[in-house]
């Protein structure tokens, strides 16, 4: 199809899908939407704010489900493979987005679309088919309803030939509030957090099928190609990315990483693992015993996906289970969090989650909450259909998982997530580890703790991902904070955590909007010389033909994140929401580190961190341009180009006249 868009990079088209009336409409991508919000979560946040006011619940037919890609996606640029899925979360009831990388986003872009907006509910299970050679159309998915994620993809491949798909499993079909969407095939991308699979299932949409051949839209093709080639080589040779290449995201699970973050809490995030216990599930054990190869997103210089197999037989000649990937989040949520210190059952549980279309993070915290309640005598086996959910009992976890996916018995309540489950069990609420209703894995690091709390989608490590607080190299931070860089990035000090998290949120927002993967980007960014705002501005200009400065990109990122905060502010979320659901760690001996780790860990996990101490939440609000109550301010909305939403926020009493740091003063030193 002809590309008539004014600028390079964007496909220049949106697809509007009305499932209720089986109507599809193609519209030009508004130039202002593209240039003011770039792509991915930025454009989606603007659409979600406009299309989904507080009066429309997440599961309502009119609630939009938005698939969006950035302008770099589909170009020959390393790590430009991400897609964003956005909507109002059925799990938390607030703003939600979920990003993942696979070949699907590239093919969607080649087929000629930057955004798909889906509303309504199909009368029968449906497929959305997008083919570069014909108009998009809807067709029946009745024969696929009830299939798991991988079986559905296999059948769609047989039916449509070479294609890429994004699909849900039984959990999404049955309305599990933390169901996921899985896209891609050779290297799957999992849109796992916040229940986007439940939102898709509520619309009776089983899958999206895309078919297209490569197509570039760059305005300066050869120049961008040369720049991309140099970045590719830097990423391929960067020693900072060696652990990612060898272990994938599991590299943060090694004992060697403990000194930089302390990711080692177990049993519902309350007990500390000893170093001996960490060794039992060390990533080197996975790499030598189960890893069968290495794949990555298309064109990635640092492939991080680890296919694996569990082999049986006297000589290990049979591969009983083969998995597509294994990530740190699966390791943590389904392993130590459940008292499991054997990699084999953890791998099996992660494999089952993927097939059923269940978010392993939220499910793991549901199971661990039940286990702690059982241990403390808050509930008994008869309350949970006879399940023997005890620490380390993988068999019972499998049983619970199937009950959740099929919405049977206790699985109906467990399928609502840890917060809702805890509120339904008297005495359990203080043991549900969540922020804004989304469960989370714990890291004992003050900047990361703050970033969890300020995340617009709830308990989450990917909205800010403050990697500067995990890096020993100070080159990048020194360009931002000068001589204070060491104190700002100190993982154990609150000093400067607010400004660090603000900067990292904006940086990560920009990366997501462009369609880049943060992992190889941060591998260069920590060194302070490449892939920070100056390089990203050059990339954007070569791609689109629009000249932009580093400060200009930072302002766009600010605008996008302000919109996410404004979306939640209309729902009443302010300072009180930017915090943990806490347990009383000071008076619980189970929450203290073992003697051998006393010098490594702080006295208490961050579940008890003081967010009100200097350098933390107040400083973050200063830099984010919020009131001390956590609400948007007139001044920052005007400075970031969001004057048009002020009247709407006034209707909800969600905007405040409060002094803030001038935006121009804090964005004009971007390396």
């Amino acid at each position: 199809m002809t590309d008539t868009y004014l600028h390079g990079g964007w496909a220049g088209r949106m697809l509007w899908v009305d499932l209720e009336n089986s109507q599809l409409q193609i519209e030009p991508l508004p130039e202002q939407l593209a240039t003011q919000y770039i792509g991915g979560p930025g454009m989606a946040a603007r659409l979600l704010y406009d299309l989904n006011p507080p009066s429309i619940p997440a599961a309502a037919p009119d609630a939009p489900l938005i698939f969006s890609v950035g302008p770099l996606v589909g170009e020959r640029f390393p790590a430009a493979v991400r897609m964003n899925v956005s909507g109002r979360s059925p799990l938390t009831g607030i703003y939600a987005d979920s990003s993942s990388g696979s070949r699907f986003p590239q093919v969607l872009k080649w087929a000629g679309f930057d955004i798909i907006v889906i509303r309504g509910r199909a009368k029968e299970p449906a497929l959305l088919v997008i083919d570069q050679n014909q108009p998009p159309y809807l067709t029946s998915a009745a024969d696929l309803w009830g299939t798991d994620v991988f079986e559905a993809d296999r059948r769609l491949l047989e039916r449509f030939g070479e294609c890429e798909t994004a699909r849900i499993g039984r959990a999404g079909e049955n309305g599990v509030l933390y169901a996921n969407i899985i896209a891609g095939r050779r290297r799957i991308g999992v849109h796992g957090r916040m229940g986007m699979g439940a939102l898709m299932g509520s619309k009776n949409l089983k899958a999206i099928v895309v078919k297209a051949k490569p197509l570039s839209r760059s305005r300066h093709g050869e120049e961008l190609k040369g720049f991309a080639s140099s970045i590719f080589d830097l990423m391929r040779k960067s020693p900072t990315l060696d652990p990612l290449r060898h272990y994938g995201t599991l590299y943060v699970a090694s004992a060697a990483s403990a000194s930089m973050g302390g990711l080692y809490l177990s049993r519902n995030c309350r007990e500390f693992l000893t170093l001996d216990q960490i060794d039992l599930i060390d990533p080197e054990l996975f790499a030598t015993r189960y890893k069968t190869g290495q794949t990555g997103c298309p064109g990635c210089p640092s492939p991080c996906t680890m296919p694996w197999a569990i082999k049986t037989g006297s000589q290990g000649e049979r591969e009983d289970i083969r998995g597509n990937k294994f990530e740190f989040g699966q390791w943590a949520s389904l392993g130590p969090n459940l008292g499991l210190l054997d990699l084999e059952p953890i791998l099996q549980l992660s494999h089952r989650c993927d097939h059923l279309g269940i978010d392993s993070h939220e499910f793991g915290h549901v199971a661990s909450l039940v286990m702690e309640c059982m241990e403390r005598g808050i509930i008994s086996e008869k309350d949970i259909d006879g399940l023997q959910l005890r620490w380390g009992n993988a068999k019972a976890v499998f049983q619970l998982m199937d009950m959740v996916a099929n919405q049977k018995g206790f699985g109906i309540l467990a399928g609502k997530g840890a917060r809702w489950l805890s509120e339904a069990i008297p005495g359990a609420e203080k043991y549900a580890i969540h922020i804004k209703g989304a469960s989370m894995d714990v890291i004992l690091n003050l900047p990361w703790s703050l970033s969890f709390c300020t995340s617009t989608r709830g308990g989450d490590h990917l909205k800010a991902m403050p990697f500067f607080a995990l890096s020993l190299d100070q080159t990048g931070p020194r360009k931002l904070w000068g001589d204070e860089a060491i104190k700002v990035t100190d993982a154990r000090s609150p000093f400067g955590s607010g400004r660090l998290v603000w900067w990292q949120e904006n940086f990560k927002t920009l990366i997501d909007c462009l369609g880049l993967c943060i992992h190889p980007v941060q591998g260069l960014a920590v060194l302070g010389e490449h892939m920070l705002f100056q390089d990203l501005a050059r990339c954007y200009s070569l791609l689109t033909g629009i000249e932009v400065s580093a400060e200009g990109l930072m302002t766009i990122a600010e605008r996008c994140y302000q919109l996410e905060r404004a979306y939640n502010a209309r729902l009443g979320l302010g300072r009180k929401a930017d915090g943990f659901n806490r347990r009383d760690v000071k008076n619980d001996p189970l929450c203290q580190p073992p003697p051998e780790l006393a010098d490594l860990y702080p006295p208490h996990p961050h579940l008890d961190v003081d967010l009100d101490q200097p350098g933390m939440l107040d400083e973050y609000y200063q830099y984010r341009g919020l009131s001390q109550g956590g609400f948007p301010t007139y001044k920052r909305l005007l400075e970031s180009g969001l004057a048009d939403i002020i009247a709407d926020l006034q209707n909800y009493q969600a905007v405040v006249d409060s002094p803030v740091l001038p935006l121009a003063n804090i964005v004009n030193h971007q390396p």
Side-chain angles (χ1 to χ4, degrees):
M1 296 180 180
T2 304
D3 177 13
T4 59
Y5 197 58
L6 181 62
H7 303 292
W10 298 282
R13 299 193 308 167
M14 304 172 62
L15 177 61
W16 295 82
V17 181
D18 178 355
L19 291 170
E20 194 78 26
N21 299 300
S22 299
Q23 293 180 348
L24 287 77
Q25 184 174 350
I26 298 173
E27 293 183 358
L29 178 69
E31 182 178 355
Q32 185 177 13
L33 181 64
T35 57
Q36 295 299 303
Y37 301 96
I38 297 180
M43 292 195 295
R46 179 75 241 196
L47 290 168
L48 191 62
Y49 186 94
D50 293 340
L51 298 173
N52 201 162
S55 59
I56 301 179
D62 286 344
L65 175 65
I66 304 170
F67 291 75
S68 56
V69 295
L72 267 177
V73 173
E75 300 293 330
R76 291 186 178 275
F77 197 92
V81 292
R82 306 292 287 190
M83 177 172 68
N84 207 75
V85 182
S86 303
R88 184 172 180 179
S89 170
L91 176 69
T92 65
I94 64 174
Y95 172 87
D97 61 15
S98 181
S99 172
S100 80
S102 69
R103 193 168 182 268
F104 182 94
Q106 292 183 319
V107 180
L108 176 62
K109 185 72 165 294
W110 295 334
F113 295 99
D114 301 288
I115 299 176
I116 307 171
V117 180
I118 302 169
R119 289 190 286 186
R121 175 179 170 83
K123 294 178 176 60
E124 67 170 1
L127 294 176
L128 171 61
V129 182
I130 301 173
D131 189 330
Q132 154 183 80
N133 298 312
Q134 59 181 306
Y137 64 93
L138 294 166
T139 188
S140 175
D143 60 319
L144 296 173
W145 208 251
T147 58
D148 72 33
V149 163
F150 294 96
E151 175 64 14
D153 182 63
R154 186 188 66 79
R155 292 196 197 178
L156 289 168
L157 181 62
E158 291 178 353
R159 181 170 168 183
F160 293 98
E162 183 58 35
C163 66
E164 292 290 335
T165 72
R167 62 276 181 195
I168 59 174
R170 272 183 276 161
E173 294 173 0
N174 292 326
V176 176
L177 296 188
Y178 46 91
N180 63 28
I181 300 171
I182 291 185
R185 181 173 302 114
R186 183 170 181 267
R187 192 274 185 193
I188 62 171
V190 181
H191 297 273
R193 304 310 313 273
M194 313 308 156
M196 294 297 96
L199 194 52
M200 191 164 164
S202 74
K203 298 184 177 306
N204 232 1
L205 182 64
K206 177 67 176 180
I208 301 174
V209 179
V210 293
K211 293 170 64 72
K213 294 182 179 180
L215 174 66
S216 175
R217 292 180 172 82
S218 169
R219 278 301 165 102
H220 300 83
E222 288 304 312
E223 205 173 343
L224 180 63
K225 182 179 178 181
F227 180 54
S229 179
S230 66
I231 295 298
F232 184 94
D233 286 342
L234 287 167
M235 288 178 174
R236 182 172 57 85
K237 297 174 183 177
S238 173
T240 61
L241 291 170
D242 284 343
L244 184 70
R245 282 187 281 263
H246 190 58
Y247 300 116
T249 58
L250 278 181
Y251 77 91
V252 295
S254 67
S257 299
S259 62
M260 293 191 297
L263 294 157
Y264 310 122
L265 289 173
S266 67
R267 301 196 179 199
N268 200 29
C269 298
R270 87 176 183 211
E271 297 178 22
F272 287 76
L273 291 178
T274 66
L275 294 179
D276 287 342
Q277 289 174 321
I278 293 170
D279 286 341
L280 295 175
I281 42 181
D282 188 272
E284 184 60 35
L285 194 63
F286 167 80
T288 56
R289 187 175 298 177
Y290 300 105
K291 178 180 169 183
T292 59
Q294 192 158 339
T295 62
C297 296
C300 182
S302 302
C304 65
T305 304
M306 308 291 144
W308 55 270
I310 295 176
K311 300 181 180 182
T312 59
S314 59
Q315 303 298 319
E317 67 273 12
R318 295 194 306 276
E319 294 183 351
D320 283 1
I321 299 178
R322 295 184 62 85
N324 184 280
K325 63 190 292 189
F326 187 50
E327 303 275 5
F328 169 74
Q330 296 164 310
W331 176 94
S333 300
L334 300 174
N337 187 50
L338 301 180
L340 286 167
L341 299 177
D342 182 347
L343 276 174
E344 201 154 300
I346 303 173
L347 287 167
Q348 292 171 330
L349 287 167
S350 71
H351 186 258
R352 187 66 176 156
C353 270
D354 285 345
H355 277 259
L356 294 172
I358 289 177
D359 174 26
S360 58
H361 295 257
E362 189 67 34
F363 173 79
H365 286 278
V366 165
S368 66
L369 171 64
V370 177
M371 288 176 175
E372 179 153 9
C373 288
M374 290 278 287
E375 180 186 39
R376 293 181 183 270
I378 295 172
I379 57 174
S380 64
E381 289 180 14
K382 67 180 179 61
D383 298 315
I384 56 174
D385 298 336
L387 292 177
Q388 298 178 1
L389 274 169
R390 307 286 181 181
W391 302 118
N393 188 346
K395 181 180 178 181
V397 178
F398 276 112
Q399 292 172 330
L400 177 63
M401 192 182 296
D402 281 339
M403 291 170 66
V404 166
N406 294 301
Q407 287 293 272
K408 302 292 186 182
F410 179 69
I412 296 174
L413 183 58
K416 297 183 183 299
R419 178 181 65 175
W420 299 115
L421 177 62
S422 71
E423 291 176 357
I425 301 174
E429 192 169 357
K430 63 183 176 180
Y431 302 116
I433 312 304
H434 71 84
I435 299 171
K436 302 180 180 76
S439 296
M440 44 162 287
D441 300 315
V442 169
I443 179 170
L444 307 181
N445 176 317
L446 288 176
W448 282 73
S449 298
L450 179 62
S451 75
F452 285 155
C453 293
T454 61
S455 167
T456 49
R457 68 179 191 173
D460 172 67
H461 64 289
L462 289 172
K463 290 300 287 186
M465 206 169 177
F467 52 81
F468 279 144
L470 295 179
S471 173
L472 299 178
D473 193 295
Q474 290 293 307
T475 310
R478 278 188 174 277
K479 289 186 176 182
L480 289 163
W481 302 293
D483 292 340
E484 290 188 330
I486 293 178
K487 291 195 291 183
V488 170
T489 57
D490 185 345
R492 292 175 176 79
S493 168
F495 182 90
S497 291
R499 73 190 83 166
L500 172 64
V501 169
W502 166 79
W503 188 93
Q504 300 259 200
E505 281 177 346
N506 279 7
F507 183 72
K508 179 59 163 53
T509 295
L510 178 61
I511 294 299
D512 289 343
C513 287
L514 288 168
L516 291 167
C517 175
I518 188 62
H519 293 298
V521 169
Q522 74 173 7
L524 298 185
V526 293
L527 303 177
E529 296 181 2
H530 298 285
M531 295 308 286
L532 290 167
F533 277 90
Q534 293 289 1
D535 269 357
L536 295 174
R538 181 187 176 196
C539 179
Y540 177 89
S541 299
L542 291 174
L543 176 69
T544 66
I546 304 171
E547 289 298 322
V548 67
S549 65
E551 294 81 9
L553 283 185
M554 185 64 154
T555 300
I556 293 175
E558 177 75 21
R559 180 182 305 134
C560 295
Y561 211 84
Q562 284 288 333
L563 259 181
E564 296 178 17
R565 292 282 319 194
Y567 184 95
N568 285 342
R570 290 193 306 187
L571 296 165
L573 274 66
R575 189 184 189 101
K576 186 177 180 181
D578 288 339
F580 296 97
N581 185 60
R582 304 169 182 264
R583 65 163 75 235
D584 183 11
V585 297
K586 292 181 179 178
N587 298 310
D588 191 336
L590 294 176
C591 294
Q592 311 311 312
E596 67 181 273
L597 300 180
D599 293 335
L600 182 62
Y601 290 111
H604 305 291
H606 74 183
L607 298 178
D608 196 49
V609 67
D610 181 7
L611 294 171
D612 295 328
Q613 62 187 311
M616 296 290 279
L617 199 55
D618 284 345
E619 181 175 286
Y620 170 79
Y621 286 164
Q622 272 193 310
Y623 276 80
R624 180 55 68 199
L626 304 173
S627 71
Q628 290 306 293
F631 286 96
T633 61
Y634 292 100
K635 183 176 180 180
R636 183 56 62 86
L637 292 175
L638 289 169
E639 289 180 310
S640 56
L642 290 171
D644 64 308
I645 71 169
I646 289 177
D648 180 60
L649 288 172
Q650 287 174 328
N651 292 333
Y652 295 93
Q653 298 182 322
V655 61
V656 178
D657 187 5
S658 178
V660 296
L661 291 174
L663 184 60
N665 291 0
I666 56 176
V667 302
N668 60 2
H669 296 293
Q670 303 309 319

